[in-house]
Structure formats: C-alpha cells, structure tokens
PDB file of all heavy atoms in Angstrom:
ATOM      1  N   LEU A 358     -31.140 207.676-102.213  1.00 85.00           N
ATOM      2  CA  LEU A 358     -31.284 208.177-103.595  1.00 85.00           C
ATOM      3  C   LEU A 358     -32.043 207.179-104.434  1.00 85.00           C
ATOM      4  O   LEU A 358     -32.585 207.600-105.559  1.00 85.00           O
ATOM      5  CB  LEU A 358     -29.946 208.499-104.132  1.00 85.00           C
ATOM      6  CG  LEU A 358     -29.161 209.557-103.408  1.00 85.00           C
ATOM      7  CD1 LEU A 358     -27.773 209.754-104.059  1.00 85.00           C
ATOM      8  CD2 LEU A 358     -29.987 210.862-103.367  1.00 85.00           C
ATOM      9  N   TYR A 359     -31.973 205.888-104.133  1.00 92.00           N
ATOM     10  CA  TYR A 359     -32.632 204.971-104.967  1.00 92.00           C
ATOM     11  C   TYR A 359     -33.934 204.406-104.164  1.00 92.00           C
ATOM     12  O   TYR A 359     -33.802 203.980-103.050  1.00 92.00           O
ATOM     13  CB  TYR A 359     -31.717 203.795-105.287  1.00 92.00           C
ATOM     14  CG  TYR A 359     -32.275 202.730-106.186  1.00 92.00           C
ATOM     15  CD1 TYR A 359     -32.020 202.706-107.552  1.00 92.00           C
ATOM     16  CD2 TYR A 359     -33.031 201.684-105.774  1.00 92.00           C
ATOM     17  CE1 TYR A 359     -32.503 201.858-108.528  1.00 92.00           C
ATOM     18  CE2 TYR A 359     -33.553 200.693-106.550  1.00 92.00           C
ATOM     19  CZ  TYR A 359     -33.281 200.807-107.866  1.00 92.00           C
ATOM     20  OH  TYR A 359     -33.813 199.866-108.800  1.00 92.00           O
ATOM     21  N   LYS A 360     -35.056 204.356-104.992  1.00 95.00           N
ATOM     22  CA  LYS A 360     -36.263 203.787-104.399  1.00 95.00           C
ATOM     23  C   LYS A 360     -36.830 202.824-105.299  1.00 95.00           C
ATOM     24  O   LYS A 360     -36.836 203.042-106.503  1.00 95.00           O
ATOM     25  CB  LYS A 360     -37.273 204.993-104.136  1.00 95.00           C
ATOM     26  CG  LYS A 360     -36.923 205.966-102.960  1.00 95.00           C
ATOM     27  CD  LYS A 360     -37.957 206.951-102.714  1.00 95.00           C
ATOM     28  CE  LYS A 360     -37.565 207.970-101.693  1.00 95.00           C
ATOM     29  NZ  LYS A 360     -37.250 207.357-100.432  1.00 95.00           N
ATOM     30  N   THR A 361     -37.262 201.689-104.796  1.00 96.00           N
ATOM     31  CA  THR A 361     -37.925 200.571-105.691  1.00 96.00           C
ATOM     32  C   THR A 361     -39.110 201.151-106.278  1.00 96.00           C
ATOM     33  O   THR A 361     -39.911 201.821-105.690  1.00 96.00           O
ATOM     34  CB  THR A 361     -38.135 199.403-104.809  1.00 96.00           C
ATOM     35  OG1 THR A 361     -38.959 199.709-103.764  1.00 96.00           O
ATOM     36  CG2 THR A 361     -36.714 198.756-104.301  1.00 96.00           C
ATOM     37  N   LYS A 362     -39.388 200.738-107.470  1.00 96.00           N
ATOM     38  CA  LYS A 362     -40.668 201.086-108.218  1.00 96.00           C
ATOM     39  C   LYS A 362     -41.644 199.949-108.101  1.00 96.00           C
ATOM     40  O   LYS A 362     -42.862 200.139-108.526  1.00 96.00           O
ATOM     41  CB  LYS A 362     -40.308 201.352-109.598  1.00 96.00           C
ATOM     42  CG  LYS A 362     -39.391 202.470-109.919  1.00 96.00           C
ATOM     43  CD  LYS A 362     -39.081 202.763-111.402  1.00 96.00           C
ATOM     44  CE  LYS A 362     -38.208 203.970-111.531  1.00 96.00           C
ATOM     45  NZ  LYS A 362     -37.833 204.206-112.983  1.00 96.00           N
ATOM     46  N   ARG A 363     -41.307 198.797-107.561  1.00 97.00           N
ATOM     47  CA  ARG A 363     -42.115 197.636-107.446  1.00 97.00           C
ATOM     48  C   ARG A 363     -41.662 196.787-106.290  1.00 97.00           C
ATOM     49  O   ARG A 363     -40.576 197.040-105.730  1.00 97.00           O
ATOM     50  CB  ARG A 363     -42.193 196.807-108.673  1.00 97.00           C
ATOM     51  CG  ARG A 363     -40.831 196.483-109.213  1.00 97.00           C
ATOM     52  CD  ARG A 363     -40.802 195.426-110.340  1.00 97.00           C
ATOM     53  NE  ARG A 363     -39.594 195.293-110.975  1.00 97.00           N
ATOM     54  CZ  ARG A 363     -38.378 194.925-110.537  1.00 97.00           C
ATOM     55  NH1 ARG A 363     -38.337 194.601-109.207  1.00 97.00           N
ATOM     56  NH2 ARG A 363     -37.344 194.760-111.270  1.00 97.00           N
ATOM     57  N   GLU A 364     -42.266 195.756-105.893  1.00 98.00           N
ATOM     58  CA  GLU A 364     -41.817 194.840-104.963  1.00 98.00           C
ATOM     59  C   GLU A 364     -40.553 194.210-105.548  1.00 98.00           C
ATOM     60  O   GLU A 364     -40.614 193.827-106.607  1.00 98.00           O
ATOM     61  CB  GLU A 364     -42.864 193.705-104.634  1.00 98.00           C
ATOM     62  CG  GLU A 364     -42.438 192.743-103.514  1.00 98.00           C
ATOM     63  CD  GLU A 364     -43.425 191.682-103.199  1.00 98.00           C
ATOM     64  OE1 GLU A 364     -43.559 190.656-104.017  1.00 98.00           O
ATOM     65  OE2 GLU A 364     -44.245 191.924-102.215  1.00 98.00           O
ATOM     66  N   THR A 365     -39.571 194.330-104.719  1.00 98.00           N
ATOM     67  CA  THR A 365     -38.239 193.892-105.288  1.00 98.00           C
ATOM     68  C   THR A 365     -37.426 192.959-104.381  1.00 98.00           C
ATOM     69  O   THR A 365     -37.413 193.078-103.102  1.00 98.00           O
ATOM     70  CB  THR A 365     -37.327 195.213-105.421  1.00 98.00           C
ATOM     71  OG1 THR A 365     -38.095 196.124-106.215  1.00 98.00           O
ATOM     72  CG2 THR A 365     -36.019 194.864-106.070  1.00 98.00           C
ATOM     73  N   LYS A 366     -36.963 191.898-105.017  1.00 98.00           N
ATOM     74  CA  LYS A 366     -36.051 190.983-104.361  1.00 98.00           C
ATOM     75  C   LYS A 366     -34.603 191.406-104.436  1.00 98.00           C
ATOM     76  O   LYS A 366     -34.117 191.765-105.500  1.00 98.00           O
ATOM     77  CB  LYS A 366     -36.240 189.546-104.920  1.00 98.00           C
ATOM     78  CG  LYS A 366     -35.372 188.441-104.146  1.00 98.00           C
ATOM     79  CD  LYS A 366     -35.604 187.090-104.818  1.00 98.00           C
ATOM     80  CE  LYS A 366     -34.796 186.064-104.073  1.00 98.00           C
ATOM     81  NZ  LYS A 366     -35.009 184.679-104.673  1.00 98.00           N
ATOM     82  N   ILE A 367     -33.937 191.451-103.364  1.00 98.00           N
ATOM     83  CA  ILE A 367     -32.564 192.001-103.279  1.00 98.00           C
ATOM     84  C   ILE A 367     -31.517 190.930-102.763  1.00 98.00           C
ATOM     85  O   ILE A 367     -31.880 190.151-101.864  1.00 98.00           O
ATOM     86  CB  ILE A 367     -32.517 193.271-102.258  1.00 98.00           C
ATOM     87  CG1 ILE A 367     -33.426 194.286-102.735  1.00 98.00           C
ATOM     88  CG2 ILE A 367     -31.009 193.688-102.149  1.00 98.00           C
ATOM     89  CD1 ILE A 367     -33.561 195.361-101.673  1.00 98.00           C
ATOM     90  N   ALA A 368     -30.384 190.935-103.353  1.00 98.00           N
ATOM     91  CA  ALA A 368     -29.261 190.127-102.947  1.00 98.00           C
ATOM     92  C   ALA A 368     -28.231 191.053-102.402  1.00 98.00           C
ATOM     93  O   ALA A 368     -27.911 192.035-102.998  1.00 98.00           O
ATOM     94  CB  ALA A 368     -28.619 189.316-104.126  1.00 98.00           C
ATOM     95  N   ILE A 369     -27.668 190.688-101.336  1.00 98.00           N
ATOM     96  CA  ILE A 369     -26.564 191.515-100.674  1.00 98.00           C
ATOM     97  C   ILE A 369     -25.228 190.750-100.885  1.00 98.00           C
ATOM     98  O   ILE A 369     -25.058 189.568-100.548  1.00 98.00           O
ATOM     99  CB  ILE A 369     -26.729 191.634 -99.126  1.00 98.00           C
ATOM    100  CG1 ILE A 369     -28.111 192.251 -98.946  1.00 98.00           C
ATOM    101  CG2 ILE A 369     -25.631 192.549 -98.577  1.00 98.00           C
ATOM    102  CD1 ILE A 369     -28.319 193.583 -99.493  1.00 98.00           C
ATOM    103  N   VAL A 370     -24.355 191.471-101.680  1.00 98.00           N
ATOM    104  CA  VAL A 370     -23.073 190.915-102.096  1.00 98.00           C
ATOM    105  C   VAL A 370     -21.964 191.686-101.222  1.00 98.00           C
ATOM    106  O   VAL A 370     -21.928 192.869-101.314  1.00 98.00           O
ATOM    107  CB  VAL A 370     -22.788 191.065-103.522  1.00 98.00           C
ATOM    108  CG1 VAL A 370     -21.395 190.499-103.960  1.00 98.00           C
ATOM    109  CG2 VAL A 370     -23.954 190.407-104.306  1.00 98.00           C
ATOM    110  N   PRO A 371     -21.116 191.019-100.549  1.00 98.00           N
ATOM    111  CA  PRO A 371     -20.021 191.659 -99.756  1.00 98.00           C
ATOM    112  C   PRO A 371     -18.891 192.129-100.525  1.00 98.00           C
ATOM    113  O   PRO A 371     -17.649 191.819-100.380  1.00 98.00           O
ATOM    114  CB  PRO A 371     -19.584 190.548 -98.812  1.00 98.00           C
ATOM    115  CG  PRO A 371     -19.840 189.314 -99.554  1.00 98.00           C
ATOM    116  CD  PRO A 371     -21.045 189.450-100.415  1.00 98.00           C
ATOM    117  N   ILE A 372     -19.126 192.996-101.456  1.00 97.00           N
ATOM    118  CA  ILE A 372     -18.133 193.635-102.388  1.00 97.00           C
ATOM    119  C   ILE A 372     -18.520 195.095-102.483  1.00 97.00           C
ATOM    120  O   ILE A 372     -19.688 195.506-102.689  1.00 97.00           O
ATOM    121  CB  ILE A 372     -18.142 193.026-103.799  1.00 97.00           C
ATOM    122  CG1 ILE A 372     -17.587 191.592-103.774  1.00 97.00           C
ATOM    123  CG2 ILE A 372     -17.304 193.870-104.759  1.00 97.00           C
ATOM    124  CD1 ILE A 372     -17.701 190.937-105.115  1.00 97.00           C
ATOM    125  N   GLY A 373     -17.549 196.015-102.191  1.00 96.00           N
ATOM    126  CA  GLY A 373     -17.806 197.386-102.197  1.00 96.00           C
ATOM    127  C   GLY A 373     -16.555 198.236-102.655  1.00 96.00           C
ATOM    128  O   GLY A 373     -15.627 197.681-103.215  1.00 96.00           O
ATOM    129  N   HIS A 374     -16.613 199.511-102.238  1.00 95.00           N
ATOM    130  CA  HIS A 374     -15.532 200.374-102.601  1.00 95.00           C
ATOM    131  C   HIS A 374     -14.094 199.939-102.040  1.00 95.00           C
ATOM    132  O   HIS A 374     -13.136 200.073-102.590  1.00 95.00           O
ATOM    133  CB  HIS A 374     -15.770 201.798-102.161  1.00 95.00           C
ATOM    134  CG  HIS A 374     -16.876 202.537-102.883  1.00 95.00           C
ATOM    135  ND1 HIS A 374     -16.915 202.419-104.253  1.00 95.00           N
ATOM    136  CD2 HIS A 374     -17.898 203.285-102.452  1.00 95.00           C
ATOM    137  CE1 HIS A 374     -18.058 203.189-104.604  1.00 95.00           C
ATOM    138  NE2 HIS A 374     -18.644 203.694-103.654  1.00 95.00           N
ATOM    139  N   TYR A 375     -14.310 199.284-100.849  1.00 96.00           N
ATOM    140  CA  TYR A 375     -12.986 198.811-100.286  1.00 96.00           C
ATOM    141  C   TYR A 375     -12.313 197.828-101.127  1.00 96.00           C
ATOM    142  O   TYR A 375     -11.007 197.826-101.252  1.00 96.00           O
ATOM    143  CB  TYR A 375     -13.282 198.238 -98.823  1.00 96.00           C
ATOM    144  CG  TYR A 375     -12.056 197.629 -98.171  1.00 96.00           C
ATOM    145  CD1 TYR A 375     -11.173 198.491 -97.533  1.00 96.00           C
ATOM    146  CD2 TYR A 375     -11.744 196.241 -98.188  1.00 96.00           C
ATOM    147  CE1 TYR A 375     -10.039 197.945 -96.959  1.00 96.00           C
ATOM    148  CE2 TYR A 375     -10.642 195.740 -97.653  1.00 96.00           C
ATOM    149  CZ  TYR A 375      -9.788 196.579 -96.997  1.00 96.00           C
ATOM    150  OH  TYR A 375      -8.646 196.031 -96.326  1.00 96.00           O
ATOM    151  N   ASP A 376     -13.198 196.962-101.813  1.00 96.00           N
ATOM    152  CA  ASP A 376     -12.596 196.010-102.693  1.00 96.00           C
ATOM    153  C   ASP A 376     -12.115 196.532-104.011  1.00 96.00           C
ATOM    154  O   ASP A 376     -11.317 195.970-104.711  1.00 96.00           O
ATOM    155  CB  ASP A 376     -13.655 194.917-103.021  1.00 96.00           C
ATOM    156  CG  ASP A 376     -14.115 194.321-101.700  1.00 96.00           C
ATOM    157  OD1 ASP A 376     -15.145 194.874-101.146  1.00 96.00           O
ATOM    158  OD2 ASP A 376     -13.604 193.283-101.237  1.00 96.00           O
ATOM    159  N   GLY A 377     -12.600 197.798-104.292  1.00 95.00           N
ATOM    160  CA  GLY A 377     -12.329 198.460-105.617  1.00 95.00           C
ATOM    161  C   GLY A 377     -13.505 198.601-106.509  1.00 95.00           C
ATOM    162  O   GLY A 377     -13.386 199.215-107.649  1.00 95.00           O
ATOM    163  N   PHE A 378     -14.669 198.047-106.165  1.00 95.00           N
ATOM    164  CA  PHE A 378     -15.881 197.991-107.033  1.00 95.00           C
ATOM    165  C   PHE A 378     -16.434 199.343-107.035  1.00 95.00           C
ATOM    166  O   PHE A 378     -16.622 199.972-105.985  1.00 95.00           O
ATOM    167  CB  PHE A 378     -16.823 196.973-106.509  1.00 95.00           C
ATOM    168  CG  PHE A 378     -18.062 196.757-107.373  1.00 95.00           C
ATOM    169  CD1 PHE A 378     -17.843 196.684-108.742  1.00 95.00           C
ATOM    170  CD2 PHE A 378     -19.333 196.647-106.858  1.00 95.00           C
ATOM    171  CE1 PHE A 378     -18.975 196.545-109.692  1.00 95.00           C
ATOM    172  CE2 PHE A 378     -20.500 196.519-107.662  1.00 95.00           C
ATOM    173  CZ  PHE A 378     -20.285 196.401-109.067  1.00 95.00           C
ATOM    174  N   GLY A 379     -16.800 199.912-108.194  1.00 90.00           N
ATOM    175  CA  GLY A 379     -17.437 201.199-108.330  1.00 90.00           C
ATOM    176  C   GLY A 379     -16.444 202.270-108.455  1.00 90.00           C
ATOM    177  O   GLY A 379     -16.826 203.499-108.714  1.00 90.00           O
ATOM    178  N   LEU A 380     -15.181 202.074-108.382  1.00 85.00           N
ATOM    179  CA  LEU A 380     -14.094 202.954-108.604  1.00 85.00           C
ATOM    180  C   LEU A 380     -13.761 202.941-110.024  1.00 85.00           C
ATOM    181  O   LEU A 380     -13.794 201.857-110.612  1.00 85.00           O
ATOM    182  CB  LEU A 380     -12.890 202.728-107.648  1.00 85.00           C
ATOM    183  CG  LEU A 380     -13.160 202.593-106.162  1.00 85.00           C
ATOM    184  CD1 LEU A 380     -11.828 202.289-105.430  1.00 85.00           C
ATOM    185  CD2 LEU A 380     -13.821 203.883-105.542  1.00 85.00           C
ATOM    186  N   THR A 381     -13.267 203.989-110.606  1.00 68.00           N
ATOM    187  CA  THR A 381     -12.870 204.020-111.960  1.00 68.00           C
ATOM    188  C   THR A 381     -11.476 204.547-112.181  1.00 68.00           C
ATOM    189  O   THR A 381     -11.189 205.495-111.484  1.00 68.00           O
ATOM    190  CB  THR A 381     -13.903 204.908-112.884  1.00 68.00           C
ATOM    191  OG1 THR A 381     -13.934 206.172-112.400  1.00 68.00           O
ATOM    192  CG2 THR A 381     -15.245 204.274-112.808  1.00 68.00           C
ATOM    193  N   LYS A 382     -10.684 204.003-113.042  1.00 56.00           N
ATOM    194  CA  LYS A 382      -9.358 204.505-113.319  1.00 56.00           C
ATOM    195  C   LYS A 382      -9.577 205.708-114.274  1.00 56.00           C
ATOM    196  O   LYS A 382     -10.272 205.587-115.282  1.00 56.00           O
ATOM    197  CB  LYS A 382      -8.584 203.439-114.076  1.00 56.00           C
ATOM    198  CG  LYS A 382      -7.136 203.846-114.405  1.00 56.00           C
ATOM    199  CD  LYS A 382      -6.351 202.608-114.951  1.00 56.00           C
ATOM    200  CE  LYS A 382      -4.926 203.005-115.185  1.00 56.00           C
ATOM    201  NZ  LYS A 382      -4.713 203.940-116.282  1.00 56.00           N
ATOM    202  N   GLU A 383      -8.988 206.874-113.949  1.00 43.00           N
ATOM    203  CA  GLU A 383      -9.092 208.006-114.798  1.00 43.00           C
ATOM    204  C   GLU A 383      -8.491 207.795-116.160  1.00 43.00           C
ATOM    205  O   GLU A 383      -7.446 207.084-116.228  1.00 43.00           O
ATOM    206  CB  GLU A 383      -8.493 209.221-114.142  1.00 43.00           C
ATOM    207  CG  GLU A 383      -9.111 209.656-112.868  1.00 43.00           C
ATOM    208  CD  GLU A 383     -10.625 210.077-113.073  1.00 43.00           C
ATOM    209  OE1 GLU A 383     -10.852 210.704-114.044  1.00 43.00           O
ATOM    210  OE2 GLU A 383     -11.417 209.872-112.182  1.00 43.00           O
ATOM    211  N   LYS A 384      -9.049 208.325-117.206  1.00 45.00           N
ATOM    212  CA  LYS A 384      -8.493 208.195-118.488  1.00 45.00           C
ATOM    213  C   LYS A 384      -7.106 208.890-118.588  1.00 45.00           C
ATOM    214  O   LYS A 384      -6.896 209.916-117.981  1.00 45.00           O
ATOM    215  CB  LYS A 384      -9.421 208.765-119.607  1.00 45.00           C
ATOM    216  CG  LYS A 384     -10.677 207.974-119.885  1.00 45.00           C
ATOM    217  CD  LYS A 384     -11.463 208.610-120.992  1.00 45.00           C
ATOM    218  CE  LYS A 384     -12.649 207.782-121.438  1.00 45.00           C
ATOM    219  NZ  LYS A 384     -12.153 206.471-122.043  1.00 45.00           N
ATOM    220  N   GLU A 385      -6.259 208.289-119.386  1.00 39.00           N
ATOM    221  CA  GLU A 385      -4.885 208.864-119.566  1.00 39.00           C
ATOM    222  C   GLU A 385      -4.887 209.993-120.500  1.00 39.00           C
ATOM    223  O   GLU A 385      -4.029 210.830-120.548  1.00 39.00           O
ATOM    224  CB  GLU A 385      -3.920 207.842-119.954  1.00 39.00           C
ATOM    225  CG  GLU A 385      -3.738 206.730-118.912  1.00 39.00           C
ATOM    226  CD  GLU A 385      -2.627 205.765-119.359  1.00 39.00           C
ATOM    227  OE1 GLU A 385      -1.734 206.148-119.920  1.00 39.00           O
ATOM    228  OE2 GLU A 385      -2.902 204.619-119.123  1.00 39.00           O
ATOM    229  N   ILE A 386      -5.923 210.104-121.345  1.00 40.00           N
ATOM    230  CA  ILE A 386      -6.082 211.208-122.319  1.00 40.00           C
ATOM    231  C   ILE A 386      -7.446 211.683-122.404  1.00 40.00           C
ATOM    232  O   ILE A 386      -8.466 210.988-122.017  1.00 40.00           O
ATOM    233  CB  ILE A 386      -5.633 210.717-123.728  1.00 40.00           C
ATOM    234  CG1 ILE A 386      -6.528 209.520-124.104  1.00 40.00           C
ATOM    235  CG2 ILE A 386      -4.231 210.369-123.785  1.00 40.00           C
ATOM    236  CD1 ILE A 386      -6.308 209.159-125.610  1.00 40.00           C
ATOM    237  N   TYR A 387      -7.602 212.973-122.737  1.00 38.00           N
ATOM    238  CA  TYR A 387      -8.977 213.563-122.817  1.00 38.00           C
ATOM    239  C   TYR A 387      -9.053 214.158-124.220  1.00 38.00           C
ATOM    240  O   TYR A 387      -8.301 215.045-124.560  1.00 38.00           O
ATOM    241  CB  TYR A 387      -9.262 214.474-121.742  1.00 38.00           C
ATOM    242  CG  TYR A 387      -9.451 213.872-120.382  1.00 38.00           C
ATOM    243  CD1 TYR A 387      -8.338 213.698-119.469  1.00 38.00           C
ATOM    244  CD2 TYR A 387     -10.728 213.429-120.017  1.00 38.00           C
ATOM    245  CE1 TYR A 387      -8.565 213.075-118.287  1.00 38.00           C
ATOM    246  CE2 TYR A 387     -10.952 212.725-118.762  1.00 38.00           C
ATOM    247  CZ  TYR A 387      -9.833 212.640-118.006  1.00 38.00           C
ATOM    248  OH  TYR A 387     -10.087 212.055-116.758  1.00 38.00           O
ATOM    249  N   ASP A 388     -10.033 213.867-124.986  1.00 44.00           N
ATOM    250  CA  ASP A 388     -10.384 214.535-126.215  1.00 44.00           C
ATOM    251  C   ASP A 388     -11.814 214.689-126.319  1.00 44.00           C
ATOM    252  O   ASP A 388     -12.550 214.398-125.474  1.00 44.00           O
ATOM    253  CB  ASP A 388      -9.800 213.757-127.456  1.00 44.00           C
ATOM    254  CG  ASP A 388     -10.245 212.276-127.485  1.00 44.00           C
ATOM    255  OD1 ASP A 388     -11.256 212.032-126.857  1.00 44.00           O
ATOM    256  OD2 ASP A 388      -9.525 211.515-128.155  1.00 44.00           O
ATOM    257  N   PHE A 389     -12.308 215.195-127.422  1.00 41.00           N
ATOM    258  CA  PHE A 389     -13.726 215.424-127.648  1.00 41.00           C
ATOM    259  C   PHE A 389     -14.528 214.137-127.395  1.00 41.00           C
ATOM    260  O   PHE A 389     -15.581 214.178-126.776  1.00 41.00           O
ATOM    261  CB  PHE A 389     -13.971 216.033-129.023  1.00 41.00           C
ATOM    262  CG  PHE A 389     -15.430 216.221-129.305  1.00 41.00           C
ATOM    263  CD1 PHE A 389     -16.189 217.212-128.787  1.00 41.00           C
ATOM    264  CD2 PHE A 389     -16.029 215.306-130.173  1.00 41.00           C
ATOM    265  CE1 PHE A 389     -17.574 217.284-129.085  1.00 41.00           C
ATOM    266  CE2 PHE A 389     -17.400 215.446-130.455  1.00 41.00           C
ATOM    267  CZ  PHE A 389     -18.188 216.490-129.889  1.00 41.00           C
ATOM    268  N   HIS A 390     -14.055 213.036-128.020  1.00 44.00           N
ATOM    269  CA  HIS A 390     -14.800 211.808-127.977  1.00 44.00           C
ATOM    270  C   HIS A 390     -14.930 211.298-126.627  1.00 44.00           C
ATOM    271  O   HIS A 390     -15.907 210.683-126.144  1.00 44.00           O
ATOM    272  CB  HIS A 390     -14.242 210.847-129.090  1.00 44.00           C
ATOM    273  CG  HIS A 390     -14.354 211.283-130.431  1.00 44.00           C
ATOM    274  ND1 HIS A 390     -15.518 211.370-131.061  1.00 44.00           N
ATOM    275  CD2 HIS A 390     -13.407 211.612-131.335  1.00 44.00           C
ATOM    276  CE1 HIS A 390     -15.362 211.728-132.304  1.00 44.00           C
ATOM    277  NE2 HIS A 390     -14.027 211.976-132.491  1.00 44.00           N
ATOM    278  N   SER A 391     -13.849 211.278-125.814  1.00 45.00           N
ATOM    279  CA  SER A 391     -13.774 210.683-124.485  1.00 45.00           C
ATOM    280  C   SER A 391     -14.787 211.572-123.605  1.00 45.00           C
ATOM    281  O   SER A 391     -15.386 211.037-122.724  1.00 45.00           O
ATOM    282  CB  SER A 391     -12.408 210.694-123.900  1.00 45.00           C
ATOM    283  OG  SER A 391     -11.832 211.916-123.677  1.00 45.00           O
TER     284      SER A 391
END
C-alpha cells in the first residue's frame, strides 16, 4: 500500500503490533468532538 516517491533510506526497527505499537486504546466516551 505504500510506495516510495523518491530514492529512500530505510531503517528497520524490531518493534511492531506484538509489542503494542500501532494499536490504539478505544476512547471511553464518544461525542461529536471525539
């Protein structure tokens, strides 16, 4: 889904969903602003 737009230097970091990264805690309340 992601394609580079130019020559790109990449770093690989051993952190992912298993660690909890990229997951979000659902809001406890929902209103118009949230």
Side-chain angles (χ1 to χ4, degrees):
L358 298 178
Y359 184 94
K360 293 185 184 298
T361 57
K362 296 180 179 180
R363 49 166 168 66
E364 183 178 82
T365 304
K366 183 179 179 182
I367 300 171
I369 306 301
V370 179
I372 292 174
H374 289 317
Y375 177 81
D376 305 88
F378 187 44
L380 305 179
T381 57
K382 184 176 183 291
E383 294 298 325
K384 285 185 174 292
E385 296 184 39
I386 54 171
Y387 287 94
D388 55 20
F389 173 77
H390 296 291
S391 66

